[in-house]
Amino acid sequence: MQYKHLGTTGMAVSALCMGTMTFGREASPEESKAMFDLAREAGINFIDTANIYSNGGSEELVGAFLQGCRDEWILATKATYPMEPKGPNDRGSSRRHLRMQVEASLRRLKTDRIELFYLHGFDPHTALEETMRVLDDLVREGKILSIGVSNFAAWQVMKAQGIAMARGYATIQAIQPMYSLVKRQVEVELLPMAQSEAIAVVPYSPLGAGVLTGKYVQKDKGTTSSRLNESDMYAKRYGVDGYQETARRFVEVAQDLGVRPATLAIAWVAAHPGVTAPILGARNATQLEQSLEALSIEITPELYERIASLSPTPPPPTDRLEETR
Ligand SMILES: NC(=O)c1ccc[n+]([C@@H]2O[C@H](COP(=O)([O-])OP(=O)(O)OC[C@H]3O[C@@H](n4cnc5c(N)ncnc54)[C@H](OP(=O)(O)O)[C@@H]3O)[C@@H](O)[C@H]2O)c1
């Protein structure tokens, strides 16, 4: 396993992060434990959960699995989006909601600290000054050790970072954006921003929620137990013209190289110089095994470009296409 530094925190994380969104949902507690053990055996020390995953169930399982090996792990969780039941104050990045959620996460995770605490999304109703101040308070109290943000635009990250820096608060050390061969918006602003500012990038959905395994272009369009067949939200997110054609051609490249598409898709995301650790998602250990092999593939500059050419490169923020190369 390779390890990289998480921003400027000094904490070293494995170059693959174990995602747990399926824990307690698609994956039973037993299957979740099998995946946790497999990740640990592979040298993964970085695990990602959130309060909303299985409505707290994922954090409870992770908390149970961490007993006896807690100090090996860099533990990340998140809050902002509402858990069930959804009351009017059970959401957002207010002082009240974040404090309550950190305390609840610590209880479910059976720990006294969260190494990386993310805002799960941008809250337009709370002043960033208030949010960054409460995060700084939580860092000073030792309940969270570093701060990340997920699903933020680059201007939102830099606005929050500017406030933190001007006021001497703990700064943002990691971002968690969506990134895969079919979702490349992050290349326009977020990745260059993170590289410029020494912020770690921990991308989620590197398989495009399973699209890049090629299973939806097969005759049976994936088994019934698959994300796009079970979730309208994911079916909409990935039901975009051209994605299946990209997946079909991507599978051909993987076959040509003699590797499994899931392995290659994660290797491609991990190969971007701005990426710290893609987050692996799986419903069982068999799926996870393929993803864990990603770092064994050498992505040469030629192979990187061959794969990148299978989907449109998003235009630069200046729209000056002639200056992109
Ligand atoms: N910050 C956020 O807003 C956010 C959002 C999403 C995820 N995340 C984090 O990122 C992690 C990974 O995200 P993700 O699950 O969307 O990642 P992903 O890698 O794009 O998709 C994983 C899904 O693809 C399918 N799959 C995986 N390996 C496969 C294989 N070998 N063959 C066929 N299908 C396979 C499985 O779904 P099916 O079997 O059900 O088809 C699996 O659950 C999550 O666990 C979570 O920690 C964060």
Side-chain angles (χ1 to χ4, degrees):
M1 181 55 65
Q2 300 163 26
Y3 297 88
K4 294 183 181 176
H5 283 108
L6 185 78
T8 58
T9 63
M11 292 189 286
V13 292
S14 48
L16 298 173
C17 177
M18 183 62 215
T20 65
M21 190 169 72
T22 56
F23 284 21
R25 200 175 60 178
E26 294 91 337
S28 65
E30 295 72 29
E31 196 62 61
S32 304
K33 179 68 164 65
M35 289 195 275
F36 177 87
D37 289 344
L38 199 60
R40 189 172 171 222
E41 279 161 27
I44 288 186
N45 75 340
F46 190 17
I47 191 159
D48 182 83
T49 184
N51 61 345
I52 57 169
Y53 297 165
S54 304
N55 206 38
S58 170
E59 286 187 331
E60 282 174 4
L61 287 172
V62 171
F65 303 158
L66 289 176
Q67 296 308 298
C69 61
R70 173 68 184 92
D71 291 350
E72 290 174 18
W73 289 90
I74 303 299
L75 169 62
T77 192
K78 326 179 186 77
T80 294
Y81 297 133
M83 296 175 68
E84 299 286 347
K86 296 176 184 171
N89 277 303
D90 299 330
R91 66 192 68 214
S93 298
S94 65
R95 174 181 300 279
R96 181 180 190 275
H97 187 238
L98 291 182
R99 272 206 169 278
M100 288 169 70
Q101 291 307 312
V102 166
E103 296 295 348
S105 288
L106 288 170
R107 276 196 298 277
R108 285 189 292 263
L109 290 161
K110 298 180 191 63
T111 188
D112 60 356
R113 65 181 189 278
I114 294 159
E115 273 82 0
L116 174 59
F117 181 75
Y118 292 100
L119 301 174
H120 208 155
F122 185 74
D123 172 9
H125 306 294
T126 305
L128 273 169
E129 288 79 359
E130 164 146 334
T131 299
M132 297 314 288
R133 171 62 199 267
V134 69
L135 292 174
D136 185 61
D137 287 346
L138 289 162
V139 168
R140 284 171 201 255
E141 290 162 24
K143 292 180 177 174
I144 68 175
L145 305 191
S146 65
I147 299 166
V149 296
S150 181
N151 300 307
F152 271 42
W155 70 263
Q156 293 165 336
V157 181
M158 290 312 298
K159 186 173 176 185
Q161 196 73 318
I163 291 166
M165 290 172 101
R167 297 181 173 213
Y169 297 163
T171 54
I172 293 165
Q173 296 286 347
I175 58 171
Q176 187 177 132
M178 186 190 297
Y179 188 33
S180 69
L181 183 62
V182 288
K183 293 283 189 192
R184 296 176 56 187
Q185 182 68 25
V186 66
E187 293 174 15
V188 181
E189 296 265 30
L190 282 165
L191 276 167
M193 175 206 72
Q195 288 178 280
S196 155
E197 304 302 312
I199 294 174
V201 181
V202 188
Y204 71 82
S205 295
L207 298 178
V211 167
L212 292 165
T213 66
K215 63 183 174 183
Y216 298 104
V217 288
Q218 288 160 4
K219 277 205 185 92
D220 63 0
K221 304 275 184 210
T223 59
T224 47
S225 297
S226 52
R227 180 97 54 97
L228 270 59
N229 294 335
E230 287 174 342
S231 161
D232 290 343
M233 182 183 86
Y234 275 93
K236 188 170 179 193
R237 187 178 293 172
Y238 289 95
V240 176
D241 275 355
Y243 284 10
Q244 294 305 336
E245 178 57 13
T246 294
R248 191 186 61 72
R249 293 169 59 211
F250 175 72
V251 170
E252 283 174 5
V253 173
Q255 283 168 346
D256 186 37
L257 297 170
V259 297
R260 281 174 294 205
T263 317
L264 187 63
I266 291 162
W268 184 80
V269 169
H272 191 289
V275 166
T276 309
I279 313 178
L280 308 183
R283 68 163 62 223
N284 56 43
T286 308
Q287 287 186 350
L288 182 62
E289 272 169 10
Q290 298 186 14
S291 300
L292 287 171
E293 288 168 20
L295 298 184
S296 66
I297 299 184
E298 191 198 353
I299 305 283
T300 60
E302 295 73 31
L303 179 56
Y304 188 88
E305 285 307 320
R306 184 178 172 196
I307 295 170
S309 72
L310 301 174
S311 65
T313 300
T318 55
D319 264 335
R320 292 168 70 115
L321 288 172
E322 73 286 0
E323 291 178 356
T324 55
R325 299 271 162 188

